[in-house]
Amino acid sequence: MSDPLSGPVSDPVGDPSGALAGPRAGTAGGRRLFRRGLVAALAALGLAAAAATVASPAANASPPAPGSGWSQVFLDDFDGPAGSGVNTANWQYDTGTSYPGGAANWGTGEVETMTSSTSNVALDGSGNLLITPRRDASGHWTSGRIETTRTDFQPPAGGKLRVEARIQLPNVTGAAAKGYWPAFWMLGSPFRGNYWNWPGVGELDIMENVQGLNTDWATMHCGTNPGGPCNETSGIGGSTSCPGATCQAGFHTYAMEWDRSTSPEEIRFSVDGVTFHTVKATQVDATTWANATQHGYFVILNVAMGGGFPGAFGGGPDSGTEPGHPMTVDYVRVLQSGGGGGTTPPPPGNRDAYSPVQAESYDAQSGVVAEATTDSGGGQDLGSLANGDWALYKGVNFGSTAAKQFYARVASGAASGVSGLVEVRLDSRSNAPIGSFAVANTGGWQSWRTVPANISAVTGTHDVYLTFTSGQPADFVNVNWFDFGH
């Protein structure tokens, strides 16, 4: 598909604010179509990158203490020796030009190769992370892209989530900034391991910037592509100029607050504490909102070069573009307020093995998609499950009387000859299954039945893995819930 502003573009998972992300090519059916869009919100471009009139705070400022009622659930202050890499307990590197099996050029048409080299991603020794695009003698660009290992960032029921970072954008403007595309953004957890289910799983673009403009774009992507309730590929976006010092000349705090304490639920975007864009649940239908929000998210930082968004504002990098200008990140943190549960991992033993465990309530996963279900009780199921996919449920309490049965609510619209196993493993995916059952077509992807299986006797509290094994690569099952019996 073509981007209305820049021509054909493949969709980005590298365009953080979604404000002007390009589309990803996709396939209809099992593995959902993924496409990122260009931002419709082109107002308030702030084209004049005038000299800053307000002095920016120190580069290595400590994060302010959380406000009353807020608790901190994630922080990286990027302290460490100069030239060292990021803390891989917090972050994982995205390398190359696509996710494994995902769209080429990160789906956006960007031209760089992402690396884990400290020439592209490194600490500066003064409490900052530098993501630096570089160009070699042959004109090839490299840069950096990292995402949190955690995928569970979401507000607790009735509470709030705040995700913020203090960032100075690459300090380059005008012709020398042509093609620069720094971003701070989030993707819905079902995207990890799937890479083709955008935009339904949701994207929250907290900060996106191109061409050295004094503009912060923020966008929510959701629904279907093209068009749909969220106006894809543009998404639901807004923009503003950075206050005081330009986005390039000084540090600013870019933040998203996801608020489940209001009715309707809403997501607010701000810079330096001033909200400039709000998306409310009532702007889209209930199913679209649920599909985009009833799961965790992970955080991404990257600097792309070229692609659909810069293309909409004059094009990608050329011989006049200056390499070597980093995006400087002072800290990234996640706070939550009110409610119960949510982002903080549940304590051991909080799940009752003998009550239904909703499949979409996983603590970690690979390859799964949360989607609306028509099964009794409504809510969501896990779909697009195929060979090698898995989901983790921490702290399942079996008690002192052994469980010997496993039950799962499943549906399948798999083609003739396609089937697979739903397996239960305890504490590690490398452990042998304690039980399993086979499933093939049940009459449709929303044609549900409860299937029992015998398991080895289990007592105590364990982390439970559902794993999915098939001799075919095609999706073969959806799961709504599971539980155990004596």
Side-chain angles (χ1 to χ4, degrees):
M1 302 185 68
S2 297
D3 181 289
L5 295 175
S6 60
V9 190
S10 59
D11 184 321
V13 173
D15 163 19
S17 46
L20 274 103
R24 276 196 178 264
T27 58
R31 297 292 174 181
R32 283 27 170 205
L33 179 69
F34 170 70
R35 188 182 194 276
R36 301 190 44 153
L38 285 198
V39 132
L42 302 180
L45 296 182
L47 298 178
T53 57
V54 177
S56 61
N60 59 347
S62 297
S68 177
W70 290 92
S71 60
Q72 187 166 276
V73 297
F74 175 88
L75 170 67
D76 199 324
D77 206 9
F78 301 113
D79 291 328
S84 59
V86 295
N87 180 353
T88 53
N90 289 340
W91 303 94
Q92 61 188 46
Y93 293 92
D94 296 328
T95 59
T97 58
S98 72
Y99 282 112
N105 302 107
W106 301 107
T108 64
E110 56 201 73
V111 300
E112 82 295 331
T113 298
M114 296 299 186
T115 85
S116 58
S117 168
T118 52
S119 68
N120 296 123
V121 183
L123 307 185
D124 69 355
S126 298
N128 301 298
L129 167 69
L130 307 179
I131 301 181
T132 309
R134 300 190 184 278
R135 183 176 58 204
D136 64 21
S138 64
H140 179 71
W141 287 89
T142 59
S143 190
R145 173 181 170 130
I146 59 173
E147 57 188 53
T148 54
T149 57
R150 288 179 62 171
T151 63
D152 63 339
F153 298 125
Q154 64 176 315
K160 303 175 186 178
L161 183 82
R162 179 179 173 89
V163 181
E164 67 179 32
R166 187 168 178 267
I167 300 172
Q168 181 176 5
L169 300 189
N171 193 10
V172 58
T173 59
K178 190 175 180 183
Y180 271 78
W181 187 0
F184 165 45
W185 53 298
M186 305 176 72
L187 278 169
S189 59
F191 185 77
R192 182 170 287 174
N194 184 308
Y195 310 131
W196 294 98
N197 51 12
W198 188 94
V201 298
E203 175 182 328
L204 302 173
D205 300 327
I206 303 169
M207 180 283 296
E208 185 172 44
N209 175 268
V210 292
Q211 311 292 57
L213 302 175
N214 183 33
T215 306
D216 170 24
W217 280 272
T219 305
M220 179 176 182
H221 290 280
C222 49
T224 56
N225 177 71
C230 305
N231 189 36
E232 299 301 345
T233 57
S234 297
I236 305 171
S239 63
T240 189
S241 299
C242 287
T246 66
C247 303
Q248 291 72 32
F251 280 85
H252 297 275
T253 300
Y254 303 93
M256 179 277 299
E257 281 193 14
W258 180 354
D259 192 348
R260 285 180 171 159
S261 70
T262 63
S263 183
E265 183 177 335
E266 62 184 34
I267 298 172
R268 300 182 290 267
F269 300 89
S270 66
V271 58
D272 292 345
V274 178
T275 298
F276 66 92
H277 180 48
T278 300
V279 182
K280 297 179 182 291
T282 49
Q283 290 177 239
V284 299
D285 62 273
T287 297
T288 294
W289 187 263
N291 286 343
T293 61
Q294 293 302 307
H295 49 67
Y297 272 71
F298 56 94
V299 177
I300 306 172
L301 293 164
N302 73 290
V303 180
M305 296 301 296
F309 195 173
F313 291 89
D318 58 23
S319 60
T321 303
E322 292 181 5
H325 294 279
M327 178 170 75
T328 305
V329 186
D330 181 18
Y331 67 82
V332 175
R333 74 172 175 181
V334 181
L335 307 172
Q336 71 176 29
S337 173
T343 292
T344 303
N350 80 312
R351 300 180 190 266
D352 180 5
Y354 308 107
S355 297
V357 177
Q358 296 299 321
E360 71 275 12
S361 70
Y362 54 77
D363 295 283
Q365 58 82 28
S366 176
V368 311
V369 178
E371 61 184 9
T373 181
T374 60
D375 194 15
S376 57
Q380 292 186 301
D381 64 73
L382 291 190
S384 292
L385 299 170
N387 183 57
D389 295 344
W390 57 268
L392 165 64
Y393 305 86
K394 293 183 177 179
V396 178
N397 187 353
F398 292 86
S400 58
T401 302
K404 299 180 179 180
Q405 290 283 311
F406 167 66
Y407 305 90
R409 186 73 168 168
V410 299
S412 176
S416 176
V418 175
S419 63
L421 295 175
V422 178
E423 304 163 321
V424 181
R425 303 172 193 257
L426 300 183
D427 302 319
S428 172
R429 284 190 292 121
S430 62
N431 288 339
I434 62 169
S436 65
F437 63 82
V439 63
N441 192 300
T442 63
W445 292 111
Q446 292 295 316
S447 180
W448 296 95
R449 63 181 61 176
T450 303
V451 179
N454 295 324
I455 60 172
S456 304
V458 183
T459 59
T461 299
H462 299 273
D463 292 345
V464 171
Y465 287 86
L466 295 188
T467 58
F468 305 92
T469 301
S470 175
Q472 300 88 25
D475 302 340
F476 70 90
V477 68
N478 292 351
V479 178
N480 191 9
W481 53 260
F482 65 93
D483 63 8
F484 298 86
H486 297 299

